[in-house]
Amino acid sequence: MDDSKKRKMEGSSSLEPMDKKKKKQWQMPKRNFSSAPQIEPGDAGIWVTCDMHMEGLCTIELRDFFNECAKSFYGDPLIQDTTPELKAKNVSEDIEAEINQEIKGMQDSKEKALFVAVKLEIPCVLFFKTREPVEPVSFVQRICEEAIGKEARKTTRFVRRLTPTTHLGKASDKSLEEVAKAVLAPVFHTGDAMAQKFAIRTTIRNNHAMKRDDIIKRVADLVGGPHTVDLKNYDRLILVDVYRNILGMSVVGPSYETLKRFNLAEIYDASGRIVDQQNLTGSEQLAVSGAQATHQPIAESSGKEHKSVRRTRIVSSSQQTR
C-alpha cells in the first residue's frame, strides 16, 4: 500500500509541470506603430472623400496622381533633393557605412515625400500630409481648374471631394482659436487688407463635443471688422473641418462653387468623361473594371426590376418545394 501511494505521489508530481505548460497560452507580439505617419499640430494637407470600401485603392491612385500633378506644377523637387545622397553612396567604400547610409536614405525619402498618407480609420475619408512647395489651397484649386478643361482626362476612379487644409490642430476650443489666428491673419489681418465679404462652412464628423454654431460664431468674431458676412456673394470662404479629435481650417476664393466645391467626381461626371485606363497599372485597371461591373447594375436598376426578380425567386422556390 505504501509503495502504491508513493507511486501515485511521484506520478502526480511529475505531471504538474506539464499541466502548467499546457495552460500557458501564446500571446501575439505587440506591434510598434510609432513609425506610422501621424497628424501633428501645425501640419497642412488635403482631406479626401472616396467611395465606400475603396479607401486602399483610392490611396494608391491619389498618391500617384498627386505626385504627377506636383511634377507638372512645381517641377521635380524630390529628384533634386536626393541627388547628393546618391553621389555619396557611390563614393562610400565601407560596406557597413554604406548600409547605414542606405537605411538613412530610406528614412529621409519618407520625410522628404511631398505627400504622406495618414490612416484615419474613418470610412470613406483619407488624409494626405503635404510639405513645401505644395500649398494645399492653390494645389487643389489648380487640379480642379485643369479637370474642367476639355483636354483633361479622368485619371481617378474612386476620389470624390478634395478639401485643402492650411493648418491643423486638436479639436478643442483653445486649439480652434490658435488655428484660426494662424489661418486668418495672412488673409484678413494684414496691413493693406481691404474689407472683404466672407462666409464660413463647417464639416463635423465623429465628434460630438464641438458644435457647428459655436464654431461659426467664434471664427466670425476672430475675423472681425471691417469685414462683413455674405453667405452668397462672398469674397472668401472659410472651411472648418472637424474629424474626430482633429480640426483643420483653410480659406478659399469665390471659385469654390464654380469648381463644384472641389468635388472631382462631380466635375468629371458633368463633362461625361470616363476613366483613362491607359495611365493605370494592371491591378488598378482590374479594380476599375470590377468596380464598374458591380456598380453599374445597382445604379441602373429600378424598383420594378427588383420586384420582378423577387417574384421569380419566389416562384422558383415554390416549384422546388413541390
Side-chain angles (χ1 to χ4, degrees), residues 108-139:
D108 293 343
S109 63
K110 291 182 179 180
E111 296 177 357
K112 291 181 179 180
L114 295 179
F115 306 95
V116 178
V118 181
K119 195 172 183 180
L120 299 174
E121 300 295 346
I122 302 176
C124 305
V125 179
L126 312 173
F127 184 78
F128 280 83
K129 293 174 63 172
T130 61
R131 70 168 182 85
E132 295 181 352
V134 178
E135 198 285 312
V137 174
S138 60
F139 182 75

PDB file of all heavy atoms in Angstrom, residues 108-139:
ATOM      1  N   ASP A 108      14.942  59.210 -44.872  1.00  0.00           N
ATOM      2  CA  ASP A 108      14.884  60.591 -45.352  1.00  0.00           C
ATOM      3  C   ASP A 108      13.923  60.746 -46.520  1.00  0.00           C
ATOM      4  O   ASP A 108      13.263  61.770 -46.671  1.00  0.00           O
ATOM      5  CB  ASP A 108      16.278  61.070 -45.755  1.00  0.00           C
ATOM      6  CG  ASP A 108      17.211  61.187 -44.566  1.00  0.00           C
ATOM      7  OD1 ASP A 108      16.700  61.222 -43.429  1.00  0.00           O
ATOM      8  OD2 ASP A 108      18.445  61.219 -44.766  1.00  0.00           O
ATOM      9  N   SER A 109      13.833  59.697 -47.374  1.00  0.00           N
ATOM     10  CA  SER A 109      12.938  59.778 -48.527  1.00  0.00           C
ATOM     11  C   SER A 109      11.485  59.869 -48.089  1.00  0.00           C
ATOM     12  O   SER A 109      10.672  60.547 -48.723  1.00  0.00           O
ATOM     13  CB  SER A 109      13.141  58.561 -49.433  1.00  0.00           C
ATOM     14  OG  SER A 109      12.800  57.363 -48.745  1.00  0.00           O
ATOM     15  N   LYS A 110      11.154  59.184 -46.961  1.00  0.00           N
ATOM     16  CA  LYS A 110       9.796  59.281 -46.442  1.00  0.00           C
ATOM     17  C   LYS A 110       9.524  60.682 -45.916  1.00  0.00           C
ATOM     18  O   LYS A 110       8.450  61.243 -46.105  1.00  0.00           O
ATOM     19  CB  LYS A 110       9.577  58.249 -45.338  1.00  0.00           C
ATOM     20  CG  LYS A 110       9.563  56.812 -45.834  1.00  0.00           C
ATOM     21  CD  LYS A 110       9.296  55.839 -44.691  1.00  0.00           C
ATOM     22  CE  LYS A 110       9.263  54.409 -45.199  1.00  0.00           C
ATOM     23  NZ  LYS A 110       9.001  53.439 -44.091  1.00  0.00           N
ATOM     24  N   GLU A 111      10.530  61.244 -45.222  1.00  0.00           N
ATOM     25  CA  GLU A 111      10.347  62.587 -44.690  1.00  0.00           C
ATOM     26  C   GLU A 111      10.278  63.621 -45.800  1.00  0.00           C
ATOM     27  O   GLU A 111       9.597  64.628 -45.676  1.00  0.00           O
ATOM     28  CB  GLU A 111      11.495  62.912 -43.732  1.00  0.00           C
ATOM     29  CG  GLU A 111      11.524  62.020 -42.490  1.00  0.00           C
ATOM     30  CD  GLU A 111      12.702  62.321 -41.597  1.00  0.00           C
ATOM     31  OE1 GLU A 111      13.511  63.195 -41.996  1.00  0.00           O
ATOM     32  OE2 GLU A 111      12.821  61.706 -40.530  1.00  0.00           O
ATOM     33  N   LYS A 112      10.990  63.388 -46.904  1.00  0.00           N
ATOM     34  CA  LYS A 112      11.019  64.357 -47.988  1.00  0.00           C
ATOM     35  C   LYS A 112       9.874  64.183 -48.977  1.00  0.00           C
ATOM     36  O   LYS A 112       9.747  64.971 -49.902  1.00  0.00           O
ATOM     37  CB  LYS A 112      12.356  64.242 -48.739  1.00  0.00           C
ATOM     38  CG  LYS A 112      13.552  64.704 -47.915  1.00  0.00           C
ATOM     39  CD  LYS A 112      14.838  64.588 -48.706  1.00  0.00           C
ATOM     40  CE  LYS A 112      16.022  65.067 -47.889  1.00  0.00           C
ATOM     41  NZ  LYS A 112      17.291  64.946 -48.650  1.00  0.00           N
ATOM     42  N   ALA A 113       9.069  63.143 -48.805  1.00  0.00           N
ATOM     43  CA  ALA A 113       7.938  62.937 -49.708  1.00  0.00           C
ATOM     44  C   ALA A 113       6.981  64.120 -49.612  1.00  0.00           C
ATOM     45  O   ALA A 113       6.690  64.619 -48.525  1.00  0.00           O
ATOM     46  CB  ALA A 113       7.221  61.642 -49.366  1.00  0.00           C
ATOM     47  N   LEU A 114       6.502  64.572 -50.763  1.00  0.00           N
ATOM     48  CA  LEU A 114       5.582  65.702 -50.774  1.00  0.00           C
ATOM     49  C   LEU A 114       4.224  65.331 -50.211  1.00  0.00           C
ATOM     50  O   LEU A 114       3.530  66.177 -49.648  1.00  0.00           O
ATOM     51  CB  LEU A 114       5.424  66.217 -52.211  1.00  0.00           C
ATOM     52  CG  LEU A 114       6.667  66.824 -52.864  1.00  0.00           C
ATOM     53  CD1 LEU A 114       6.351  67.268 -54.275  1.00  0.00           C
ATOM     54  CD2 LEU A 114       7.206  67.976 -52.051  1.00  0.00           C
ATOM     55  N   PHE A 115       3.822  64.061 -50.354  1.00  0.00           N
ATOM     56  CA  PHE A 115       2.513  63.617 -49.914  1.00  0.00           C
ATOM     57  C   PHE A 115       2.665  62.328 -49.106  1.00  0.00           C
ATOM     58  O   PHE A 115       3.213  61.349 -49.595  1.00  0.00           O
ATOM     59  CB  PHE A 115       1.588  63.377 -51.112  1.00  0.00           C
ATOM     60  CG  PHE A 115       1.485  64.555 -52.040  1.00  0.00           C
ATOM     61  CD1 PHE A 115       2.301  64.641 -53.160  1.00  0.00           C
ATOM     62  CD2 PHE A 115       0.604  65.586 -51.782  1.00  0.00           C
ATOM     63  CE1 PHE A 115       2.218  65.720 -54.014  1.00  0.00           C
ATOM     64  CE2 PHE A 115       0.527  66.672 -52.625  1.00  0.00           C
ATOM     65  CZ  PHE A 115       1.335  66.746 -53.747  1.00  0.00           C
ATOM     66  N   VAL A 116       2.168  62.357 -47.889  1.00  0.00           N
ATOM     67  CA  VAL A 116       2.238  61.200 -46.999  1.00  0.00           C
ATOM     68  C   VAL A 116       0.824  60.859 -46.548  1.00  0.00           C
ATOM     69  O   VAL A 116       0.134  61.687 -45.935  1.00  0.00           O
ATOM     70  CB  VAL A 116       3.132  61.486 -45.778  1.00  0.00           C
ATOM     71  CG1 VAL A 116       3.153  60.276 -44.843  1.00  0.00           C
ATOM     72  CG2 VAL A 116       4.538  61.853 -46.215  1.00  0.00           C
ATOM     73  N   ALA A 117       0.381  59.647 -46.868  1.00  0.00           N
ATOM     74  CA  ALA A 117      -0.964  59.217 -46.493  1.00  0.00           C
ATOM     75  C   ALA A 117      -0.999  58.854 -45.013  1.00  0.00           C
ATOM     76  O   ALA A 117      -0.124  58.156 -44.511  1.00  0.00           O
ATOM     77  CB  ALA A 117      -1.393  58.025 -47.342  1.00  0.00           C
ATOM     78  N   VAL A 118      -2.023  59.337 -44.319  1.00  0.00           N
ATOM     79  CA  VAL A 118      -2.215  59.056 -42.898  1.00  0.00           C
ATOM     80  C   VAL A 118      -3.492  58.254 -42.739  1.00  0.00           C
ATOM     81  O   VAL A 118      -4.564  58.682 -43.192  1.00  0.00           O
ATOM     82  CB  VAL A 118      -2.302  60.356 -42.076  1.00  0.00           C
ATOM     83  CG1 VAL A 118      -2.488  60.029 -40.596  1.00  0.00           C
ATOM     84  CG2 VAL A 118      -1.056  61.199 -42.277  1.00  0.00           C
ATOM     85  N   LYS A 119      -3.385  57.089 -42.116  1.00  0.00           N
ATOM     86  CA  LYS A 119      -4.542  56.228 -41.922  1.00  0.00           C
ATOM     87  C   LYS A 119      -5.396  56.766 -40.782  1.00  0.00           C
ATOM     88  O   LYS A 119      -4.914  56.981 -39.670  1.00  0.00           O
ATOM     89  CB  LYS A 119      -4.094  54.800 -41.620  1.00  0.00           C
ATOM     90  CG  LYS A 119      -5.202  53.767 -41.753  1.00  0.00           C
ATOM     91  CD  LYS A 119      -4.647  52.366 -41.644  1.00  0.00           C
ATOM     92  CE  LYS A 119      -5.753  51.337 -41.859  1.00  0.00           C
ATOM     93  NZ  LYS A 119      -5.221  49.947 -41.764  1.00  0.00           N
ATOM     94  N   LEU A 120      -6.696  56.972 -41.049  1.00  0.00           N
ATOM     95  CA  LEU A 120      -7.575  57.604 -40.073  1.00  0.00           C
ATOM     96  C   LEU A 120      -8.569  56.644 -39.438  1.00  0.00           C
ATOM     97  O   LEU A 120      -9.142  56.959 -38.405  1.00  0.00           O
ATOM     98  CB  LEU A 120      -8.356  58.748 -40.736  1.00  0.00           C
ATOM     99  CG  LEU A 120      -7.534  59.893 -41.324  1.00  0.00           C
ATOM    100  CD1 LEU A 120      -8.439  60.865 -42.056  1.00  0.00           C
ATOM    101  CD2 LEU A 120      -6.766  60.608 -40.235  1.00  0.00           C
ATOM    102  N   GLU A 121      -8.821  55.490 -40.056  1.00  0.00           N
ATOM    103  CA  GLU A 121      -9.835  54.546 -39.580  1.00  0.00           C
ATOM    104  C   GLU A 121     -11.219  55.189 -39.585  1.00  0.00           C
ATOM    105  O   GLU A 121     -12.059  54.902 -38.731  1.00  0.00           O
ATOM    106  CB  GLU A 121      -9.498  54.040 -38.176  1.00  0.00           C
ATOM    107  CG  GLU A 121      -8.166  53.314 -38.055  1.00  0.00           C
ATOM    108  CD  GLU A 121      -8.132  52.006 -38.837  1.00  0.00           C
ATOM    109  OE1 GLU A 121      -9.210  51.538 -39.250  1.00  0.00           O
ATOM    110  OE2 GLU A 121      -7.025  51.473 -39.047  1.00  0.00           O
ATOM    111  N   ILE A 122     -11.456  56.086 -40.554  1.00  0.00           N
ATOM    112  CA  ILE A 122     -12.774  56.703 -40.745  1.00  0.00           C
ATOM    113  C   ILE A 122     -13.280  56.274 -42.114  1.00  0.00           C
ATOM    114  O   ILE A 122     -12.587  56.494 -43.112  1.00  0.00           O
ATOM    115  CB  ILE A 122     -12.709  58.239 -40.666  1.00  0.00           C
ATOM    116  CG1 ILE A 122     -12.128  58.685 -39.322  1.00  0.00           C
ATOM    117  CG2 ILE A 122     -14.086  58.853 -40.865  1.00  0.00           C
ATOM    118  CD1 ILE A 122     -11.949  60.186 -39.195  1.00  0.00           C
ATOM    119  N   PRO A 123     -14.456  55.662 -42.204  1.00  0.00           N
ATOM    120  CA  PRO A 123     -14.943  55.196 -43.505  1.00  0.00           C
ATOM    121  C   PRO A 123     -15.044  56.331 -44.521  1.00  0.00           C
ATOM    122  O   PRO A 123     -15.542  57.420 -44.217  1.00  0.00           O
ATOM    123  CB  PRO A 123     -16.327  54.615 -43.181  1.00  0.00           C
ATOM    124  CG  PRO A 123     -16.279  54.288 -41.730  1.00  0.00           C
ATOM    125  CD  PRO A 123     -15.383  55.311 -41.107  1.00  0.00           C
ATOM    126  N   CYS A 124     -14.515  56.071 -45.717  1.00  0.00           N
ATOM    127  CA  CYS A 124     -14.633  56.982 -46.863  1.00  0.00           C
ATOM    128  C   CYS A 124     -13.862  58.288 -46.688  1.00  0.00           C
ATOM    129  O   CYS A 124     -14.089  59.242 -47.443  1.00  0.00           O
ATOM    130  CB  CYS A 124     -16.100  57.308 -47.170  1.00  0.00           C
ATOM    131  SG  CYS A 124     -17.133  55.864 -47.435  1.00  0.00           S
ATOM    132  N   VAL A 125     -12.958  58.374 -45.731  1.00  0.00           N
ATOM    133  CA  VAL A 125     -12.192  59.602 -45.500  1.00  0.00           C
ATOM    134  C   VAL A 125     -10.705  59.267 -45.466  1.00  0.00           C
ATOM    135  O   VAL A 125     -10.291  58.332 -44.771  1.00  0.00           O
ATOM    136  CB  VAL A 125     -12.602  60.296 -44.189  1.00  0.00           C
ATOM    137  CG1 VAL A 125     -11.762  61.556 -43.958  1.00  0.00           C
ATOM    138  CG2 VAL A 125     -14.078  60.650 -44.209  1.00  0.00           C
ATOM    139  N   LEU A 126      -9.914  60.026 -46.203  1.00  0.00           N
ATOM    140  CA  LEU A 126      -8.457  59.892 -46.222  1.00  0.00           C
ATOM    141  C   LEU A 126      -7.836  61.245 -45.900  1.00  0.00           C
ATOM    142  O   LEU A 126      -8.506  62.277 -45.964  1.00  0.00           O
ATOM    143  CB  LEU A 126      -7.965  59.431 -47.599  1.00  0.00           C
ATOM    144  CG  LEU A 126      -8.657  58.236 -48.258  1.00  0.00           C
ATOM    145  CD1 LEU A 126      -8.137  58.060 -49.668  1.00  0.00           C
ATOM    146  CD2 LEU A 126      -8.447  56.975 -47.447  1.00  0.00           C
ATOM    147  N   PHE A 127      -6.553  61.203 -45.576  1.00  0.00           N
ATOM    148  CA  PHE A 127      -5.824  62.456 -45.373  1.00  0.00           C
ATOM    149  C   PHE A 127      -4.404  62.295 -45.880  1.00  0.00           C
ATOM    150  O   PHE A 127      -3.752  61.269 -45.628  1.00  0.00           O
ATOM    151  CB  PHE A 127      -5.791  62.860 -43.899  1.00  0.00           C
ATOM    152  CG  PHE A 127      -5.131  64.190 -43.668  1.00  0.00           C
ATOM    153  CD1 PHE A 127      -5.815  65.368 -43.929  1.00  0.00           C
ATOM    154  CD2 PHE A 127      -3.823  64.270 -43.214  1.00  0.00           C
ATOM    155  CE1 PHE A 127      -5.208  66.602 -43.739  1.00  0.00           C
ATOM    156  CE2 PHE A 127      -3.208  65.491 -43.014  1.00  0.00           C
ATOM    157  CZ  PHE A 127      -3.905  66.661 -43.286  1.00  0.00           C
ATOM    158  N   PHE A 128      -3.933  63.307 -46.603  1.00  0.00           N
ATOM    159  CA  PHE A 128      -2.569  63.357 -47.109  1.00  0.00           C
ATOM    160  C   PHE A 128      -1.866  64.580 -46.518  1.00  0.00           C
ATOM    161  O   PHE A 128      -2.301  65.709 -46.734  1.00  0.00           O
ATOM    162  CB  PHE A 128      -2.549  63.440 -48.639  1.00  0.00           C
ATOM    163  CG  PHE A 128      -2.749  62.128 -49.327  1.00  0.00           C
ATOM    164  CD1 PHE A 128      -4.019  61.620 -49.525  1.00  0.00           C
ATOM    165  CD2 PHE A 128      -1.663  61.378 -49.766  1.00  0.00           C
ATOM    166  CE1 PHE A 128      -4.207  60.403 -50.151  1.00  0.00           C
ATOM    167  CE2 PHE A 128      -1.837  60.163 -50.394  1.00  0.00           C
ATOM    168  CZ  PHE A 128      -3.112  59.661 -50.596  1.00  0.00           C
ATOM    169  N   LYS A 129      -0.795  64.323 -45.773  1.00  0.00           N
ATOM    170  CA  LYS A 129       0.039  65.420 -45.295  1.00  0.00           C
ATOM    171  C   LYS A 129       0.865  65.956 -46.451  1.00  0.00           C
ATOM    172  O   LYS A 129       1.333  65.201 -47.302  1.00  0.00           O
ATOM    173  CB  LYS A 129       0.955  64.934 -44.175  1.00  0.00           C
ATOM    174  CG  LYS A 129       0.244  64.548 -42.908  1.00  0.00           C
ATOM    175  CD  LYS A 129       1.188  63.934 -41.893  1.00  0.00           C
ATOM    176  CE  LYS A 129       2.256  64.892 -41.447  1.00  0.00           C
ATOM    177  NZ  LYS A 129       3.060  64.354 -40.323  1.00  0.00           N
ATOM    178  N   THR A 130       1.051  67.261 -46.488  1.00  0.00           N
ATOM    179  CA  THR A 130       1.835  67.895 -47.545  1.00  0.00           C
ATOM    180  C   THR A 130       2.958  68.715 -46.925  1.00  0.00           C
ATOM    181  O   THR A 130       2.925  69.064 -45.750  1.00  0.00           O
ATOM    182  CB  THR A 130       0.958  68.810 -48.408  1.00  0.00           C
ATOM    183  OG1 THR A 130       0.411  69.855 -47.582  1.00  0.00           O
ATOM    184  CG2 THR A 130      -0.177  68.033 -49.045  1.00  0.00           C
ATOM    185  N   ARG A 131       3.954  69.013 -47.734  1.00  0.00           N
ATOM    186  CA  ARG A 131       5.045  69.897 -47.325  1.00  0.00           C
ATOM    187  C   ARG A 131       5.377  70.818 -48.486  1.00  0.00           C
ATOM    188  O   ARG A 131       4.904  70.625 -49.612  1.00  0.00           O
ATOM    189  CB  ARG A 131       6.274  69.087 -46.901  1.00  0.00           C
ATOM    190  CG  ARG A 131       6.988  68.372 -48.045  1.00  0.00           C
ATOM    191  CD  ARG A 131       8.347  67.852 -47.599  1.00  0.00           C
ATOM    192  NE  ARG A 131       9.075  67.201 -48.686  1.00  0.00           N
ATOM    193  CZ  ARG A 131       9.824  67.831 -49.570  1.00  0.00           C
ATOM    194  NH1 ARG A 131       9.923  69.147 -49.524  1.00  0.00           N
ATOM    195  NH2 ARG A 131      10.465  67.169 -50.523  1.00  0.00           N
ATOM    196  N   GLU A 132       6.187  71.828 -48.204  1.00  0.00           N
ATOM    197  CA  GLU A 132       6.580  72.782 -49.250  1.00  0.00           C
ATOM    198  C   GLU A 132       7.328  72.045 -50.365  1.00  0.00           C
ATOM    199  O   GLU A 132       8.042  71.062 -50.121  1.00  0.00           O
ATOM    200  CB  GLU A 132       7.473  73.868 -48.649  1.00  0.00           C
ATOM    201  CG  GLU A 132       6.765  74.738 -47.634  1.00  0.00           C
ATOM    202  CD  GLU A 132       7.666  75.821 -47.086  1.00  0.00           C
ATOM    203  OE1 GLU A 132       8.886  75.788 -47.381  1.00  0.00           O
ATOM    204  OE2 GLU A 132       7.176  76.698 -46.359  1.00  0.00           O
ATOM    205  N   PRO A 133       7.125  72.472 -51.613  1.00  0.00           N
ATOM    206  CA  PRO A 133       6.453  73.696 -52.062  1.00  0.00           C
ATOM    207  C   PRO A 133       4.941  73.570 -52.254  1.00  0.00           C
ATOM    208  O   PRO A 133       4.315  74.483 -52.793  1.00  0.00           O
ATOM    209  CB  PRO A 133       7.130  73.948 -53.415  1.00  0.00           C
ATOM    210  CG  PRO A 133       7.404  72.580 -53.935  1.00  0.00           C
ATOM    211  CD  PRO A 133       7.763  71.755 -52.742  1.00  0.00           C
ATOM    212  N   VAL A 134       4.345  72.467 -51.848  1.00  0.00           N
ATOM    213  CA  VAL A 134       2.906  72.277 -52.041  1.00  0.00           C
ATOM    214  C   VAL A 134       2.144  73.165 -51.069  1.00  0.00           C
ATOM    215  O   VAL A 134       2.343  73.085 -49.850  1.00  0.00           O
ATOM    216  CB  VAL A 134       2.516  70.803 -51.827  1.00  0.00           C
ATOM    217  CG1 VAL A 134       1.008  70.636 -51.976  1.00  0.00           C
ATOM    218  CG2 VAL A 134       3.253  69.909 -52.815  1.00  0.00           C
ATOM    219  N   GLU A 135       1.281  74.015 -51.608  1.00  0.00           N
ATOM    220  CA  GLU A 135       0.361  74.810 -50.802  1.00  0.00           C
ATOM    221  C   GLU A 135      -1.030  74.234 -51.053  1.00  0.00           C
ATOM    222  O   GLU A 135      -1.539  74.294 -52.180  1.00  0.00           O
ATOM    223  CB  GLU A 135       0.430  76.277 -51.221  1.00  0.00           C
ATOM    224  CG  GLU A 135      -0.147  77.236 -50.194  1.00  0.00           C
ATOM    225  CD  GLU A 135      -1.655  77.219 -50.153  1.00  0.00           C
ATOM    226  OE1 GLU A 135      -2.273  77.303 -51.231  1.00  0.00           O
ATOM    227  OE2 GLU A 135      -2.222  77.110 -49.057  1.00  0.00           O
ATOM    228  N   PRO A 136      -1.680  73.640 -50.048  1.00  0.00           N
ATOM    229  CA  PRO A 136      -2.895  72.847 -50.284  1.00  0.00           C
ATOM    230  C   PRO A 136      -3.995  73.562 -51.051  1.00  0.00           C
ATOM    231  O   PRO A 136      -4.595  72.981 -51.955  1.00  0.00           O
ATOM    232  CB  PRO A 136      -3.348  72.492 -48.857  1.00  0.00           C
ATOM    233  CG  PRO A 136      -2.106  72.518 -48.038  1.00  0.00           C
ATOM    234  CD  PRO A 136      -1.265  73.604 -48.624  1.00  0.00           C
ATOM    235  N   VAL A 137      -4.282  74.828 -50.725  1.00  0.00           N
ATOM    236  CA  VAL A 137      -5.405  75.520 -51.368  1.00  0.00           C
ATOM    237  C   VAL A 137      -5.149  75.721 -52.852  1.00  0.00           C
ATOM    238  O   VAL A 137      -5.967  75.354 -53.706  1.00  0.00           O
ATOM    239  CB  VAL A 137      -5.674  76.864 -50.663  1.00  0.00           C
ATOM    240  CG1 VAL A 137      -6.742  77.650 -51.413  1.00  0.00           C
ATOM    241  CG2 VAL A 137      -6.102  76.628 -49.216  1.00  0.00           C
ATOM    242  N   SER A 138      -4.022  76.319 -53.203  1.00  0.00           N
ATOM    243  CA  SER A 138      -3.719  76.565 -54.616  1.00  0.00           C
ATOM    244  C   SER A 138      -3.518  75.249 -55.380  1.00  0.00           C
ATOM    245  O   SER A 138      -3.857  75.156 -56.561  1.00  0.00           O
ATOM    246  CB  SER A 138      -2.477  77.447 -54.732  1.00  0.00           C
ATOM    247  OG  SER A 138      -1.356  76.815 -54.132  1.00  0.00           O
ATOM    248  N   PHE A 139      -2.970  74.244 -54.693  1.00  0.00           N
ATOM    249  CA  PHE A 139      -2.737  72.954 -55.340  1.00  0.00           C
ATOM    250  C   PHE A 139      -4.056  72.292 -55.733  1.00  0.00           C
ATOM    251  O   PHE A 139      -4.240  71.874 -56.885  1.00  0.00           O
ATOM    252  CB  PHE A 139      -1.943  72.054 -54.391  1.00  0.00           C
ATOM    253  CG  PHE A 139      -1.602  70.701 -54.964  1.00  0.00           C
ATOM    254  CD1 PHE A 139      -0.597  70.559 -55.913  1.00  0.00           C
ATOM    255  CD2 PHE A 139      -2.279  69.570 -54.540  1.00  0.00           C
ATOM    256  CE1 PHE A 139      -0.290  69.312 -56.437  1.00  0.00           C
ATOM    257  CE2 PHE A 139      -1.975  68.322 -55.052  1.00  0.00           C
ATOM    258  CZ  PHE A 139      -0.976  68.196 -56.012  1.00  0.00           C
TER     259      PHE A 139
END
